[in-house]
Amino acid sequence: MTQQISRPCSDPGHTFVQLVGAGPGDPGLLTIKALRAIEAADVVVYDRLVSDEILALIPASARTMDVGKAPGFHPVPQDDINALLIALARNGGRIVRLKGGDPFMFGRGGEEAIALASAQIPFEVIPGITSAQGCAAAMKVPLTHRDLATGVRFLTGHRRAGEHLDFDWLGLADPGTTLVVYMGLANIDEIAVRLILHGRDPGTPVLAVSRATRCNEVRLSSTLSRIAADAKLARLEAPTLFIIGEVAAIAAVMQRSASFCEGLDLHEDACVAAE
Ligand SMILES: C[S@@+](CC[C@H](N)C(=O)[O-])C[C@H]1O[C@@H](n2cnc3c(N)ncnc32)[C@H](O)[C@@H]1O
């Protein structure tokens, strides 16, 4: 049986909670809809990945709640965040749940959406630029390319203590697939070794980008066999994203041509202007 899903008319006046994607950090990458939601918010509940420049856009009249940190720097448990959103919504007003990147890309936005729906709280989702897109754009590297990559897979490199990463390693070893690894800093050695063991070329280009699109962005070019050692040597810190695949070699082409384009990097100009 097919079921028709009608598109609800968007009436922000009756939306209690907005799950908003803040993008990878550069405020210029917020959508207009996200910016409007932030500017109209009564309460903003935000994560540790939301950049200071974006937090500065929250009106002084809005109450802000940081659920990315708590005493002892432990994140607030997800169930508590869900309960908080429901309680705030029942209190009334416009609640913005501001999340780094896109709320539905490894952001547990799905769990919040299900909790709100189960509690019959009206909400909407405002997508954000996910960090994969932010990193790709920062490096001027496409994630797909007609000659190099016919597909892309987004993976989490995070695993629970004592567990192995449970992936379809043979599929991931396909040379025509770009792999984008979120939260992979702690396990990039295991990821690289398993990919190589399953047939991915040790010389496959890899890019690591930390704090992409922010003024303190760090970029590293390496190969699959060297990335774990190089990342350690470069002392990369979270948030870092890895792009694995032939497309990553395009970064070198972009770097070579950078000398022709000096002064044209608009984001770097914006960073300098902000200092
Ligand atoms: C919990 S996930 C959240 C992802 C987020 N929802 C998104 O769409 O980008 C956190 C991971 O996203 C990646 N990430 C988020 N922001 C980043 C940035 N500005 N630069 C590099 N990686 C970033 C890192 O891999 C980090 O460990």
Side-chain angles (χ1 to χ4, degrees):
M1 196 177 76
T2 56
Q3 195 186 359
Q4 191 182 345
I5 300 177
S6 59
R7 187 177 177 275
C9 61
S10 175
D11 180 357
H14 294 101
T15 299
F16 291 114
V17 179
Q18 291 166 301
L19 299 182
V20 179
D26 176 0
L29 295 177
L30 274 178
T31 65
I32 291 172
K33 196 167 182 181
L35 180 61
R36 285 188 183 140
I38 293 169
E39 287 174 343
D42 297 309
V43 183
V44 178
V45 180
Y46 65 92
D47 276 348
R48 111 198 113 81
L49 281 176
V50 178
S51 69
D52 290 345
E53 292 97 322
I54 288 174
L55 293 178
L57 299 171
I58 300 172
S61 58
R63 184 173 160 206
T64 54
M65 303 178 82
D66 177 358
V67 292
K69 287 191 212 120
F73 298 103
H74 297 298
V76 178
Q78 189 60 48
D79 285 348
D80 292 2
I81 296 175
N82 298 349
L84 174 69
L85 293 177
I86 292 167
L88 288 168
R90 288 191 172 139
N91 238 358
R94 298 183 58 134
I95 318 302
V96 164
R97 172 69 174 113
L98 193 56
K99 301 173 79 73
D102 179 80
F104 280 179
M105 186 67 95
F106 299 125
R108 304 190 75 170
E111 291 166 52
E112 292 170 14
I114 290 167
L116 291 166
S118 305
Q120 301 196 319
I121 305 286
F123 70 96
E124 72 172 341
V125 181
I126 301 179
I129 303 266
T130 186
S131 44
Q133 296 166 299
C135 290
M139 301 297 291
K140 303 188 176 90
V141 162
L143 296 178
T144 63
H145 183 288
R146 238 173 4 150
D147 301 325
L148 303 173
T150 51
V152 52
R153 287 182 64 176
F154 302 105
L155 308 163
T156 168
H158 176 73
R159 61 170 158 77
R160 295 199 178 127
E163 287 181 9
H164 282 297
L165 290 164
D166 187 17
F167 291 147
D168 146 38
W169 293 106
L170 215 51
L172 297 182
D174 165 30
T177 301
T178 302
L179 308 178
V180 179
V181 184
Y182 291 69
M183 294 172 278
L185 204 49
N187 295 317
I188 191 62
D189 46 354
E190 180 181 343
I191 293 167
V193 166
R194 283 177 175 262
L195 285 172
I196 292 168
L197 281 176
H198 285 81
R200 197 111 192 201
D201 184 340
T204 303
V206 180
L207 293 173
V209 191
S210 304
R211 300 182 292 265
T213 81
R214 303 182 187 206
C215 297
N216 53 357
E217 177 182 281
V218 176
R219 305 163 175 187
L220 175 71
S221 280
S222 184
T223 60
L224 200 52
S225 62
R226 296 182 44 91
I227 184 61
D230 286 349
K232 206 178 250 175
L233 206 64
R235 297 186 184 181
L236 294 186
E237 290 175 359
T240 292
L241 188 111
F242 296 92
I243 299 175
I244 303 171
E246 295 308 319
V247 292
I250 294 174
V253 179
M254 294 301 166
Q255 202 150 11
R256 277 199 295 278
S257 74
S259 54
F260 293 106
C261 307
E262 252 168 49
L264 288 183
D265 190 326
L266 297 178
H267 180 58
E268 275 171 19
D269 285 353
C271 289
V272 171
E275 276 166 8

